[in-house]
Amino acid sequence: MSLQNQFERFNENIRLSSKKLEELREKRNKILDKLRNNKDLPSFEEFGQGSYRMGTEVEPIDKDYDIDVGLRFNVNKNDYEDPLTLKKQIRDILKNHTEYGAQIKTPCVTVTYKKDGETAYHVDIVTYTYEDKENKESQLYLARGKEFAKTENIKWEKADPLGLIDEIENRYSGEDKNQYKRIIRYLKRWKNLNFTSDGNNEVPGIGITLLAYNLFLPSKDYDYLEEKYKYNDLNALIDFVEDIKNKFISQYDIGSGDYKYSISLNLPVEPYTDVFSKMTLNQTNNFRNKICKLYDDLIIVKDETDIIEQCKKLNQIFGEDFEVPEKKEESKLQKNFIPPSSASGIK
């Protein structure tokens, strides 16, 4: 038994099962079939978006699953003066698809499913058009806005969803990439346990992913007995959280007459928006306070020599999915043969 093994078990516990992924794909495919069979809707090509496409998905604590699908319609953006036209068509086609029907939201059209009397699934359909439909490499535009919103909030927005996926997916390769995705999942689970989903209080999932894209570095220790490097997720997580803590900027808050912390991070592709822009200063300050506490808690874990006690503390941080091994006659201290040599990747 090693702490790294416990981390990897935790990773398997919180990532979405293949069975659940298949359920979500079935829901998505039924929707796509219905849209394709409607003669009034232009043809399109679909592609996966979000955490499921990027392989950073986490089992939701509230069991409300969602999957994102992008639709690239074979039309020119200039053929649709109103960005809501296609979204309204999609909504109308799917309005009786489930008991909840379909709802136009700012970035997408959401189809909601019920299971056992409660909300269980969301399929978010994101609408794109081309600058030039004859050139599939031309600029894509996202239909942003919802009904009855202010005119300035209904618009075509330049977007590069596939470029974003490629950026995140290709940041690392091989086993470094696996650790990269594990660290993202750990912090997403922590986020879900520590933030409510009211308004913009919750840190956006894409924010966690992009922080890792910008700040994460692989961490390994050299095992002199086995003469090879082994991944160390605890060290990688501590280094990552410390870098997040250092990314916050102190600024004066006129309302409270005090200094608070803000954070900003732009998408690496069009439209280059700040993924934390919707969070208020109070919310980003709260985010930093919780990140600081997480860092302190992880240092306490690292300083603990008893692996059972380490797992108990990690269970308190990450919830019951971080398993605590059964205690035998006495807890085993972690091996201290020769101090390991730490190795980190270089961006």
Side-chain angles (χ1 to χ4, degrees):
M1 176 179 67
S2 71
L3 189 61
Q4 181 62 24
N5 287 340
Q6 293 303 112
F7 264 109
E8 293 182 15
R9 288 182 67 174
F10 174 51
N11 177 65
E12 292 305 313
N13 288 341
I14 62 175
R15 69 184 303 179
L16 221 56
S17 68
S18 57
K19 180 180 179 181
K20 186 58 66 176
L21 279 170
E22 186 56 36
E23 279 186 54
L24 289 169
R25 292 189 190 103
E26 287 178 7
K27 304 291 186 188
R28 176 199 63 191
N29 291 341
K30 287 180 180 179
I31 287 173
L32 293 177
D33 288 344
K34 196 163 190 175
L35 294 176
R36 283 199 184 90
N37 291 331
N38 187 282
K39 296 180 180 179
D40 295 327
L41 194 67
S43 63
F44 59 82
E45 290 88 35
E46 79 276 5
F47 60 94
Q49 285 196 188
S51 59
Y52 302 110
R53 171 65 184 266
M54 293 183 279
T56 59
E57 76 289 347
V58 174
E59 181 85 17
I61 295 173
D62 59 6
K63 303 304 178 185
D64 185 4
Y65 300 85
D66 72 90
I67 187 169
D68 297 343
V69 56
L71 304 185
R72 290 178 292 174
F73 283 93
N74 295 306
V75 297
N76 293 333
K77 182 260 294 183
N78 289 340
D79 294 337
Y80 289 83
E81 184 177 347
D82 181 2
L84 296 184
T85 299
L86 287 169
K87 294 172 80 171
K88 288 176 180 177
Q89 282 186 267
I90 293 169
R91 187 270 315 276
D92 291 343
I93 294 167
L94 299 172
K95 63 182 179 181
N96 297 318
H97 186 69
T98 70
E99 183 177 340
Y100 285 120
Q103 179 182 4
I104 296 176
K105 296 185 178 180
T106 299
C108 62
V109 178
T110 298
V111 180
T112 304
Y113 292 81
K114 180 186 286 188
K115 186 175 183 179
D116 299 327
E118 296 182 355
T119 301
Y121 300 97
H122 290 99
V123 178
D124 291 332
I125 304 162
V126 189
T127 303
Y128 299 95
T129 58
Y130 288 97
E131 179 77 44
D132 177 7
K133 66 181 179 181
E134 303 303 325
N135 176 13
K136 299 308 179 185
E137 300 300 317
S138 68
Q139 179 67 56
L140 285 177
Y141 290 85
L142 165 68
R144 180 169 288 280
K146 57 184 177 181
E147 287 183 297
F148 315 117
K150 293 180 180 179
T151 302
E152 60 266 27
N153 294 328
I154 300 175
K155 59 185 177 181
W156 288 111
E157 181 178 82
K158 286 184 178 181
D160 186 8
L162 295 175
L164 178 61
I165 292 167
D166 286 343
E167 283 284 341
I168 292 170
E169 274 283 288
N170 296 326
R171 190 72 180 88
Y172 290 99
S173 61
E175 290 302 312
D176 285 356
K177 183 175 183 177
N178 289 337
Q179 188 183 54
Y180 168 57
K181 292 187 175 183
R182 288 198 302 272
I183 297 301
I184 292 173
R185 290 194 194 97
Y186 302 156
L187 205 61
K188 280 188 174 183
R189 171 49 61 90
W190 170 83
K191 175 198 73 136
N192 291 339
L193 288 169
N194 285 273
F195 295 86
T196 65
S197 57
D198 300 336
N200 298 311
N201 181 64
E202 185 177 27
V203 180
I206 186 62
I208 298 296
T209 301
L210 287 181
L211 283 168
Y213 169 81
N214 282 274
L215 303 175
F216 166 82
L217 286 173
S219 180
K220 311 172 191 177
D221 293 332
Y222 190 75
D223 187 318
Y224 287 90
L225 292 178
E226 297 188 25
E227 297 184 339
K228 65 178 182 180
Y229 282 100
K230 292 185 177 180
Y231 284 88
N232 187 323
D233 285 7
L234 178 60
N235 282 348
L237 187 58
I238 288 173
D239 292 344
F240 177 40
V241 172
E242 183 178 24
D243 285 343
I244 295 175
K245 183 175 69 169
N246 293 335
K247 190 165 181 61
F248 285 86
I249 298 174
S250 176
Q251 67 180 78
Y252 184 71
D253 179 26
I254 298 176
S256 66
D258 199 1
Y259 283 90
K260 295 182 180 179
Y261 288 88
S262 65
I263 187 170
S264 63
L265 185 61
N266 294 337
L267 290 171
V269 299
E270 293 276 10
Y272 303 110
T273 49
D274 177 6
V275 295
F276 296 112
S277 63
K278 292 184 178 180
M279 297 182 73
T280 66
L281 187 55
N282 282 336
Q283 289 167 343
T284 55
N285 194 71
N286 180 49
F287 179 24
R288 182 184 182 274
N289 288 341
K290 291 183 177 182
I291 279 289
C292 289
K293 184 179 186 307
L294 174 60
Y295 176 77
D296 292 342
D297 289 344
L298 290 172
I299 292 298
I300 291 172
V301 172
K302 184 174 182 177
D303 290 342
E304 173 62 61
T305 56
D306 186 302
I307 191 170
I308 301 293
E309 292 303 315
Q310 284 185 309
C311 290
K312 285 181 180 179
K313 289 177 171 64
L314 289 165
N315 177 274
Q316 292 173 350
I317 295 170
F318 294 113
E320 61 185 16
D321 284 314
F322 198 104
E323 299 177 10
V324 179
E326 288 186 16
K327 193 168 184 177
K328 298 183 179 180
E329 293 180 5
E330 59 180 354
S331 299
K332 293 183 178 180
L333 297 181
Q334 292 198 70
K335 297 177 181 179
N336 287 313
F337 296 109
I338 302 175
S341 173
S342 180
S344 295
I346 298 176
K347 292 183 179 179

